[in-house]
Amino acid sequence: ASAHKGSPEKLEQILNSFKIPGIDFYKFQVYTPNHLGLIGSDTYELFNSLSIKYDDWANILTRCPKPYFLEIFDIEGFIHAESNFNSIGYKIHTTNIDEFELITKVAKTNKKIILSISGLTDIEIIKRLFIMERNMDKNNIYLSLGHQIGRAHV
């Protein structure tokens, strides 16, 4: 997820190496570390070392060779992404599955949404889909089932 290890230059190298047929889009995690961990904690330090600053993202995404999704982790990040970047859609991580305000705001863009449902019950999935379908075209909703043991709370 953070193969660039926080380096805009490394991310540029990765993007340039994937200019091959068959890749339809990219997905990037755009976040600020203070929304994923407490300042001074090991979690914060890890996310801080892996994060790319918003200004660097702006430079990178304007040169992105393919359409892209943005994985966002909070409302502030979503507002910044929606105002400054031209993504084809968003991914909502399982960590944010209980943030109904975020889900609603993202759904109201009517862009494509990849909804991570790892570790969720059927009822939890249906509830999130109901919120999204009230605010967007249901054909723009994609479910992502990856391996995750429970929710990744921070």
Side-chain angles (χ1 to χ4, degrees), residues 1 26-27 33 46 68 70 73 75 91 102 109 132-133 137:
Y26 296 104
K27 185 212 41 104
L46 172 66
Y68 56 88
L70 295 176
F73 294 89
I75 290 175
K91 179 179 179 195
L102 175 64
T109 68
M132 293 167 69
E133 288 177 352
D137 179 353

Side-chain angles (χ1 to χ4, degrees), residues 97-147:
I97 207 67
D98 292 327
E99 295 183 31
F100 297 109
E101 182 182 1
L102 175 64
I103 293 170
T104 302
K105 285 183 182 297
V106 173
K108 285 183 177 180
T109 68
N110 204 32
K111 291 183 177 180
K112 296 175 183 181
I113 296 179
I114 301 170
L115 181 67
S116 180
I117 59 170
S118 302
L120 299 181
T121 66
D122 291 349
I123 292 171
E124 289 173 315
I125 295 167
I126 290 167
K127 186 174 183 180
R128 276 66 180 183
L129 290 174
F130 178 74
I131 291 168
M132 293 167 69
E133 288 177 352
R134 285 191 343 224
N135 292 288
M136 65 181 295
D137 179 353
K138 67 181 179 181
N139 293 314
N140 284 339
I141 302 170
Y142 302 87
L143 302 181
S144 172
L145 179 60
H147 177 72

Side-chain angles (χ1 to χ4, degrees), residues 2 20 22 24 26 28 41 45 48 70-72 79 84 89 99 102 106 112-113 130 135 144:
S2 295
I20 55 176
D24 297 322
Y26 296 104
F28 301 107
S41 69
E45 296 305 323
N48 191 43
L70 295 176
E71 185 168 3
I72 41 102
I79 291 170
N84 295 284
E99 295 183 31
L102 175 64
V106 173
K112 296 175 183 181
I113 296 179
F130 178 74
N135 292 288
S144 172

